[in-house]
Structure formats: C-alpha cells, structure tokens
Amino acid sequence: APTARPSDRAQLDALLDQHAYIEPTTEAAASPAHAQTRAGRAAATKRKADLLDISEKQDCPVCLEPRLPGCDAVRMPCCGQRFHRECAVKWLSAESDKCPTCRHVLDRPGKKQRTDYKDLAADELRRRCDERDVEYGEKRDDKRALARLLHDEREAHEERRRRMPPPGAMPIFATAGPFPFASPRGGGDSEDDDGPGLPFPPFLFAARGPPRGAPSLAPRDGQIG
C-alpha cells in the first residue's frame, strides 16, 4: 500500500507563495549591490549568499537538467535544494508531499493562513490554473474569476483527499456475499452448491494461512483444481 500521498493545494500554495523565484541572469548576479543602511547591507549579504548557493546547485534533482537564468524555480525550505518550478510542482502534485531530496513533509498552513487567490497577480493565477489543469477560457484576464476557479478547485481537491484512505492502510473487504473471484456455493439448485462461498480472499492466506474457523481452500473430492 502507498506510504505517502501527493501534497494538498494549501501545502503547494504556501511553498509557491514563499519560495518560488526566477533564476537570476548573469547581469543581475554581477551587478554590485549599493547599500547605505544596515538593512540594505543585510539584504546585500543575503543576496550574495543566495547567489553563491544557486551557483553551487545548478542541476534540478528531478530532471537532472541545469536551471537556466530566467527560468522559474523553487527553493525547498527544508533542505535548501533548488528545483525547476515545473519539476517540483509535478512531483508534489502527483507523487508525494515530501521533498524529493530530504523526504521532509511540506508544511501545511492553518485554514486562516491559506493563500487568498485574490491577492495574486493575473499571471500567477493563470500559471496555477495551468499547473492544476483548471480551464479558464475567456476568463484569462478576469482576476476575480480566476481566483474563484482556483478556490473551487482547491475545495474539490480537499474533498477528494478526505475520502482517500490514509497512507499505508490495507484495503478492507466488506461484502455480505461471496467475493467476485470465488465460486459461489450454497443457496443454488446445482449439485455442486454444497457449501458456503469463500468469506476471505485467498491471497491473504499466502503467508500465514487462513484465520481460525475459515473454510478449507483445498479442493473437494470430485472437484478439478
């Protein structure tokens, strides 16, 4: 059984809101930072450290291709690894809510801290619609309509997740009749209908045998296996 599930929309939104960025161009990286205040000098120091970190992590760990200047990227807050935005979104949306490198689970914001889509720019709203296969058609320039589409998609996605079994859960067979893969026996008019159907799927007995009191799975006399 799966031990992880894809991230929910609140997790993904929080990551993109806080840690998505555009890879700096060569000119931007080479331009000196003029800082006259303490805050300005601190910002310049942080920028220098970020540029050094970017230069040391050129390749995206998902696709193993370099992140080119000007491309959309995401920095994971847990380990600092950097990905193409497209690669990170695809991984987190389809595979797991854990970082591909350090396996840390994405932070999940509280309901009051969730992204208010009305605060995002129209370009970002369209980008998130595209990433989530939300069709917007002629509403591409209507921020209010785009925000509503994303809000409705998030609510529908959360409802689907609530109906999913927890990661690692074993399937539960709940049926009053025989299993579809078992030959029904008993209750019919045939001469072979001389016993009850199988109450448990046979593959569950492969390692430890059937539960106490379960009918034998051995072929009966006169039956062909």
Side-chain angles (χ1 to χ4, degrees):
T3 58
R5 64 171 58 179
S7 63
D8 60 32
R9 296 302 188 238
Q11 290 174 296
L12 201 56
D13 284 331
L15 177 70
L16 295 176
D17 290 346
Q18 301 173 30
H19 301 286
Y21 69 99
I22 297 177
E23 285 287 319
T25 61
T26 305
E27 293 77 10
S31 61
H34 300 283
Q36 303 298 329
T37 64
R38 180 179 298 178
R41 289 192 293 271
T45 301
K46 182 179 183 303
R47 174 178 171 77
K48 183 177 180 180
D50 284 343
L51 291 174
L52 178 61
D53 187 63
I54 289 172
S55 67
E56 293 175 348
K57 299 172 181 175
Q58 284 289 333
D59 294 340
C60 171
V62 173
C63 67
L64 305 181
E65 295 292 333
R67 300 185 318 278
L68 300 177
C71 76
D72 291 294
V74 172
R75 177 184 179 275
M76 296 300 292
C78 43
C79 61
Q81 189 55 267
R82 299 172 186 270
F83 301 81
H84 292 119
R85 171 170 172 160
E86 180 181 3
C87 295
V89 168
K90 284 184 177 180
W91 169 272
L92 296 168
S93 299
E95 298 294 336
S96 173
D97 62 354
K98 298 178 180 179
C99 172
T101 52
C102 73
R103 310 304 295 165
H104 186 277
V105 178
L106 285 184
D107 292 335
R108 181 175 288 104
K111 197 163 186 178
K112 293 184 178 180
Q113 286 75 44
R114 294 193 304 179
T115 299
D116 187 347
Y117 295 119
K118 296 191 299 293
D119 296 336
L120 301 179
D123 288 343
E124 181 64 19
L125 291 171
R126 287 191 293 269
R127 180 72 179 271
R128 295 196 191 187
C129 284
D130 292 337
E131 292 169 343
R132 300 170 193 187
D133 295 326
V134 176
E135 297 183 1
Y136 46 82
E138 298 179 355
K139 301 176 182 178
R140 60 177 292 109
D141 296 320
D142 188 340
K143 281 188 58 176
R144 186 173 181 178
L146 293 172
R148 171 52 60 181
L149 288 172
L150 285 171
H151 177 273
D152 292 346
E153 192 274 342
R154 180 173 63 189
E155 296 297 318
H157 186 264
E158 290 181 356
E159 179 61 28
R160 290 194 300 270
R161 285 177 62 87
R162 280 193 289 268
R163 298 183 180 185
M164 294 171 60
M170 291 293 294
I172 298 176
F173 296 92
T175 177
F179 284 85
F181 44 75
S183 299
R185 286 177 284 186
D189 297 329
S190 171
E191 293 181 358
D192 293 333
D193 292 338
D194 55 355
L198 294 177
F200 303 100
F203 61 81
L204 292 182
F205 307 151
R208 304 177 63 177
R212 181 178 300 176
S216 172
L217 299 179
R220 301 187 177 200
D221 293 339
Q223 289 184 339
I224 298 177

